[in-house]
Amino acid sequence: MRSRFSALELSRLDMPATLPPPGPELSEERFEASRATLFVDGFMTHFIKVGGVLVIAAVLGIFVFILFQILPLFQGAKVKPVQTVQLPEQQYSVMGVDEWAELPFLVSAEGKMRFIDLQQEGKITEIDLATVTKAAPAAPSPAAAEPETPADSAAPDAAPAPGAAAPPPSPPARAALFSAISYNARKQELALGSPDGRVAIVAVNYTTAFAEDGSRTVNQTLEAGEWLPLGRPGAPITGIDVGDASDAKLIGVIQQVGDGAEVHAVALTRKRTLLGGGALTAGQSHDLTPHLTGKPVQIHVSSSANAIVIVTADGEVEYFFKSGEQFELRQVFKPFGDLADPTVASIDFLFGDVSLVATSISGQNRVFSLYRQAGSNVRTFGQTKEFEPLPGAATFYTSSLRNKGFLTGTAEVASLRYSTTETVRWQEKMPFTIARAVISGKYDRILFLDKENRLHLYSLADPHPETSWRALFGKIWYEGYSHPEYEWQSTGGTDDFEPKFSLVPLIIGTLKGTLYAMVFAVPIALTAALYASQFLHSRFRAVVKPIMEIMASLPSVVLGFLAALWLAPLIETRVPSVILMVVAIPLTAFGFGYLWSGLPFGARRLIPAGYEFIVFLPIVVLVTWVCWHLGPAFEKIAFVVTDPATGARVADFRQWWPQATGADFQQRNSLVVGFVMGFAVIPIIFTIAEDALSNVPLSLRSASLALGATRWQTARSVILPTASAGIFSALMIGLGRAVGETMIVVMATGNTPIMDLNIFSGMRTLSANIAVELPEAPVNSTFYRTLFLGAMLLFLATFLVNTIAEVMRQRLREKYKTV
């Protein structure tokens, strides 16, 4: 084969005779990193690891802190013995105690009142009530008191040791001075009934004195009123109770008349003058006996001095209400009419006098509360609670002066219960036979008197009786309500207010606000991200994306301010215009896209690819303007209603909506929240979704277009599935942002915890509730810990959303990784 090169060319291809000298030899040290570089690299590696561990530790620390704040909410009451004091042998009718449970007293039917100083080893001070009532209204003088007699102090539940000093002997018994005695613990008043049909009220006043060393001493004084004749003259009083409403008192008595009994009531009123309150004057005596259907055996008067409850021997309860100067029999019912023996063993008012706690002979324990029943315009008693039965008929009852708790039980079993939550806080078989019991005013002590005349002091630790799983997440039948409800109402205007700590309205409010925000934000954010990444010219994309990222940094308090003071009043009268825009703008977008795709190629090429929005944007603005101004005309056609005030036909969506749906219309509502909170969420979803769509490999897009697919077909069938993992992450992050939003919800809604999905009513979310309520919550109170429980729910919701997002993201990535 002949060569293709000439000799000259071959000579030029010849290698030179001598090779160039070799260069300097390369050292291995040249490829080794410097010590400084290795140090910085190692330091940053460990720094990042430590930082990650610290972040995890901080999150776990927050979780543990919140957990320890809420765990006490689910603990029961703790009752422990503290002290036992032996008392003189006597038959005691009434027991009471001061606020600090340091100076309890007992009263016998003979008129002996004994104060026991538990801080001085049970030292007893005895006062003769006969002397006090005769000396009314002055306080008892030292001469009126009997000599102070020390009492033995024994270990809890232990009998006196052999050889120990015997209990002080009781004085010789005398005839019963008082035929009936009752004690109003809330007002600290004794009501005394005599065998000759008279009544007297003795106020028990406690005062405190502090020594230089800070020790406290509790002292007592008695102030007695005059003896007042009541009812049938000379008939012995066998039952008595008094209600005290400061300016008025109501006394009810049962008098024995032959083999029967009568019930009488009298109101005492105090006239106010410029110099203060005057003396109490007795009004007309009322005979309630003609209204009774059986023999009265118990009588109870409400502390508001406007109601009397009478229990008859056959188990009927008759409820009288004082209206003006007359008594109205409002209700007769049998609390245990469904039982074989309907006899009422005990019944009395609960704190607040809205509910009655009743027990039957067989131990059934029920609560009856006042509320308006169907077809009635007055409140009557209806059963709202039923506790687990006692072992037998209740022999004692005492209610708390701070909450809806009460203590009841049999001679051997004591049971502490809470009416609101319908739970037994503590129950135990006692090592003695219970005669009487009382709860201290601070709800931290319980005193028992046994049949052996020993006084037992127990400590009570029950800081959170208002909560239970049912109270927090279930329906509760609250006092005054006609049916069980989910309710959040943390504070009230009176001491006897019943706290309502259901978190369900707050959870519903959180979901409601999130739902409307996502409904508004998701379509706009995703379609905008798809258009910006696949259709918009890169020149405009470089401007749009930074603007959206800046929008994400807008403070939520500013958005909430604008929503409350500008957007809410604006939309209130323009809802028909908003409805037209919600319908017309999407239809306009679809119509424009359909018509644009149908134009000849020559016409479409006049607008370069990525510049189509220049034509579309003016059309959207025009449609929006037209819908806004057509709204009033649309309202006159579709939303005409009869004005309830004038009877005229008016076009007003605000009146039409309640009449058409039965739901409220409020200015600050979920529609406003959806717009503004959606505006806050759109930049987050847009930014992350646009990044995911833009990062789809260009080769996939080019291959689809090369095979003849249109830009829309490529975006729908190739780009979206490939970027689905990132899009889903964007949605979950936006959802988390909406769930935790606080200031927009606080300012743009009525912030009322309600239980509906009405778009024209407000809501209260968990985060907004914490922001609003936490400054008013006493530290470590039930209210305070319940707010932390709401924080825990938000914490868990965020954790759950992020977990689901990560799992779904991984699955989507695995599904489309080969595309």
Side-chain angles (χ1 to χ4, degrees):
M1 183 176 179
R2 191 173 181 179
S3 175
R4 298 171 54 190
F5 300 97
S6 65
L8 180 61
E9 290 173 334
L10 288 173
S11 64
R12 291 177 178 177
L13 293 174
D14 291 340
M15 299 296 293
T18 59
L19 295 174
E25 185 177 354
L26 298 178
S27 174
E28 294 181 359
E29 296 180 355
R30 179 179 179 182
F31 300 98
E32 293 181 359
S34 66
R35 291 184 178 181
T37 302
L38 291 175
F39 174 78
V40 172
D41 182 71
F43 172 78
M44 293 305 299
T45 300
H46 290 88
F47 181 79
I48 292 172
K49 289 181 179 178
V50 172
V53 171
L54 290 178
V55 170
I56 296 174
V59 173
L60 290 178
I62 294 173
F63 177 81
V64 171
F65 172 76
I66 297 176
L67 181 63
F68 274 91
Q69 290 295 324
I70 65 177
L71 283 179
L73 292 174
F74 305 101
Q75 297 176 356
K78 298 179 181 178
V79 180
K80 298 180 180 179
V82 175
Q83 186 179 1
T84 298
V85 176
Q86 181 67 54
L87 303 178
E89 185 178 351
Q90 193 85 45
Q91 187 70 28
Y92 296 104
S93 302
V94 168
M95 181 167 68
V97 67
D98 62 297
E99 183 179 3
W100 304 272
E102 295 178 3
L103 195 63
F105 68 85
L106 296 105
V107 182
S108 66
E110 289 77 16
K112 298 296 183 179
M113 189 172 186
R114 292 185 173 94
F115 288 89
I116 302 94
D117 193 338
L118 298 179
Q119 299 300 307
Q120 300 186 27
E121 299 183 352
K123 184 177 70 173
I124 297 177
T125 301
E126 185 174 288
I127 299 175
D128 192 345
L129 287 177
T131 305
V132 175
T133 52
K134 288 180 182 178
S141 63
E146 298 290 337
E148 297 180 351
T149 306
D152 292 335
S153 180
D157 313 329
S170 59
R174 66 181 181 185
L177 180 63
F178 307 114
S179 56
I181 306 175
S182 69
Y183 180 60
N184 185 339
R186 188 170 184 179
K187 293 295 183 179
Q188 295 182 332
E189 292 177 339
L190 284 169
L192 309 175
S194 70
D196 60 356
R198 296 181 301 157
V199 297
I201 297 175
V202 178
V204 183
N205 301 316
Y206 288 102
T207 58
T208 56
F210 292 90
E212 294 182 357
D213 59 357
S215 61
R216 179 180 60 211
T217 303
V218 181
N219 302 306
Q220 82 287 344
T221 57
L222 302 180
E223 183 178 353
E226 298 180 356
W227 284 100
L228 299 173
L230 195 152
R232 186 179 293 273
I237 296 175
T238 58
I240 186 172
D241 199 11
V242 58
D244 190 340
S246 299
D247 289 340
K249 296 180 186 291
L250 180 61
I251 303 175
V253 298
I254 300 176
Q255 291 182 286
Q256 183 178 351
V257 180
D259 294 333
E262 295 182 357
V263 176
H264 296 269
V266 65
L268 308 179
T269 57
R270 188 194 309 272
K271 292 184 178 180
R272 290 284 179 179
T273 64
L274 294 177
L275 301 178
L280 288 170
T281 58
Q284 177 185 357
S285 178
H286 298 269
D287 185 4
L288 306 181
T289 311
H291 301 284
L292 303 180
T293 58
K295 182 180 179 180
V297 293
Q298 297 181 46
I299 186 169
H300 301 282
V301 182
S302 67
S303 60
S304 54
N306 61 1
I308 294 178
V309 171
I310 301 169
V311 182
T312 63
D314 57 359
E316 280 192 344
V317 175
E318 308 198 11
Y319 166 48
F320 290 86
F321 184 79
K322 184 175 180 292
S323 179
E325 297 297 326
Q326 302 299 321
F327 284 88
E328 171 191 354
L329 177 60
R330 284 197 171 176
Q331 186 182 14
V332 178
F333 67 99
K334 280 192 174 185
F336 305 103
D338 57 325
L339 304 181
D341 187 352
T343 304
V344 177
S346 71
I347 193 169
D348 209 338
F349 282 106
L350 196 64
F351 180 55
D353 295 343
V354 179
S355 298
L356 289 170
V357 180
T359 57
S360 69
I361 292 295
S362 59
Q364 299 292 325
N365 184 199
R366 297 172 179 174
V367 176
F368 297 82
S369 299
L370 287 171
Y371 63 90
R372 288 182 174 86
Q373 303 188 35
S376 175
N377 58 357
V378 296
R379 298 196 306 172
T380 54
F381 286 100
Q383 182 180 340
T384 57
K385 309 283 194 313
E386 181 155 7
F387 291 85
E388 61 181 65
L390 296 168
T395 57
F396 65 92
Y397 170 86
T398 178
S399 63
S400 168
L401 300 180
R402 288 205 166 192
N403 52 41
K404 302 298 180 179
F406 62 93
L407 180 69
T408 187
T410 63
E412 297 181 347
V413 176
S415 182
L416 181 67
R417 305 179 172 207
Y418 199 81
S419 174
T420 302
T421 58
E422 202 171 345
T423 55
V424 177
R425 304 295 300 169
W426 167 82
Q427 184 167 308
E428 188 174 318
K429 185 176 181 180
M430 308 304 291
F432 48 82
T433 304
I434 306 171
R436 299 191 178 278
V438 66
I439 301 176
S440 68
K442 289 184 175 293
Y443 194 67
D444 61 352
R445 294 287 189 273
I446 299 177
L447 287 98
F448 295 99
L449 178 67
D450 66 16
K451 294 293 185 180
E452 303 299 326
N453 281 343
R454 288 179 298 179
L455 186 65
H456 304 269
L457 176 66
Y458 280 70
S459 65
L460 169 61
D462 190 20
H464 310 295
E466 302 94 342
T467 57
S468 66
W469 287 107
R470 182 181 175 190
L472 293 169
F473 301 104
K475 285 187 176 182
I476 294 293
W477 200 329
Y478 297 104
E479 289 184 341
Y481 286 49
S482 59
H483 55 274
E485 287 189 7
Y486 301 105
E487 186 76 16
W488 173 274
Q489 189 179 358
S490 57
T491 55
T494 60
D495 292 338
D496 56 9
F497 168 74
E498 188 177 29
K500 305 168 182 65
F501 291 130
S502 176
L503 295 177
V504 176
L506 307 179
I507 295 173
I508 296 298
T510 302
L511 297 177
K512 179 180 177 180
T514 303
L515 171 66
Y516 289 121
M518 296 299 285
V519 166
F520 176 74
V522 169
I524 297 177
L526 290 186
T527 53
L530 181 63
Y531 180 78
S533 64
Q534 303 301 316
F535 300 97
L536 188 64
H537 195 277
S538 58
R539 178 186 300 177
F540 299 109
R541 187 186 311 143
V543 176
V544 170
K545 189 171 181 181
I547 292 176
M548 296 297 290
E549 291 174 348
I550 292 174
M551 286 175 55
S553 65
L554 286 176
S556 59
V557 66
V558 174
L559 297 178
F561 179 80
L562 293 174
L565 299 184
W566 173 69
L567 185 61
L570 182 67
I571 291 181
E572 181 185 11
T573 58
R574 289 287 189 166
V575 174
S577 300
V578 174
I579 295 174
L580 289 178
M581 286 188 288
V582 169
V583 174
I585 292 176
L587 291 178
T588 301
F590 285 120
F592 177 82
Y594 178 78
L595 294 176
W596 182 263
S597 62
L599 290 176
F601 179 74
R604 283 185 292 163
R605 65 180 298 182
L606 296 176
I607 305 295
Y611 286 75
E612 296 88 351
F613 75 94
I614 296 177
V615 179
F616 175 66
L617 191 59
I619 296 175
V620 172
V621 173
L622 178 62
V623 170
T624 302
W625 183 84
V626 171
C627 290
W628 183 260
H629 288 83
L630 284 180
F634 177 55
E635 186 175 38
K636 293 179 181 179
I637 297 173
F639 305 111
V640 179
V641 68
T642 302
D643 188 347
T646 62
R649 299 284 289 177
V650 295
D652 191 344
F653 184 87
R654 293 171 296 178
Q655 295 188 31
W656 177 88
W657 178 259
Q659 294 190 23
T661 64
D664 293 336
F665 183 94
Q666 301 172 5
Q667 183 190 77
R668 299 183 182 183
N669 51 49
S670 302
L671 181 64
V672 176
V673 172
F675 285 158
V676 180
M677 196 152 67
F679 185 81
V681 172
I682 284 174
I684 297 173
I685 299 177
F686 172 87
T687 301
I688 300 174
E690 199 275 339
D691 286 339
L693 292 166
S694 297
N695 288 330
V696 174
L698 184 61
S699 58
L700 296 178
R701 184 173 184 271
S702 300
S704 176
L705 294 174
L707 292 174
T710 63
R711 288 189 298 166
W712 167 243
Q713 290 172 334
T714 300
R716 182 190 62 192
S717 303
V718 177
I719 305 299
L720 279 176
T722 307
S724 58
I727 294 174
F728 188 80
S729 298
L731 294 178
M732 291 297 101
I733 294 175
L735 179 65
R737 169 75 166 83
V739 168
E741 178 54 49
T742 302
M743 294 310 300
I744 293 176
V745 181
V746 168
M747 302 178 71
T749 71
N751 212 25
T752 304
I754 55 179
M755 287 280 298
D756 62 46
L757 295 178
N758 176 20
I759 193 173
F760 295 110
S761 66
M763 85 285 283
R764 178 182 289 192
T765 64
L766 286 167
S767 57
N769 189 64
I770 295 171
V772 171
E773 302 273 24
L774 191 59
E776 306 297 328
V779 177
N780 295 331
S781 65
T782 302
F783 183 18
Y784 178 84
R785 297 188 188 278
T786 304
L787 293 177
F788 271 93
L789 179 58
M792 175 62 79
L793 293 178
L794 282 175
F795 188 94
L796 294 177
T798 304
F799 178 80
L800 182 63
V801 167
N802 290 337
T803 302
I804 294 175
E806 182 62 21
V807 171
M808 293 298 296
R809 187 180 67 84
Q810 292 294 341
R811 290 188 177 183
L812 291 171
R813 174 177 291 181
E814 289 294 323
K815 181 177 180 180
Y816 295 107
K817 68 179 180 179
T818 58
V819 176

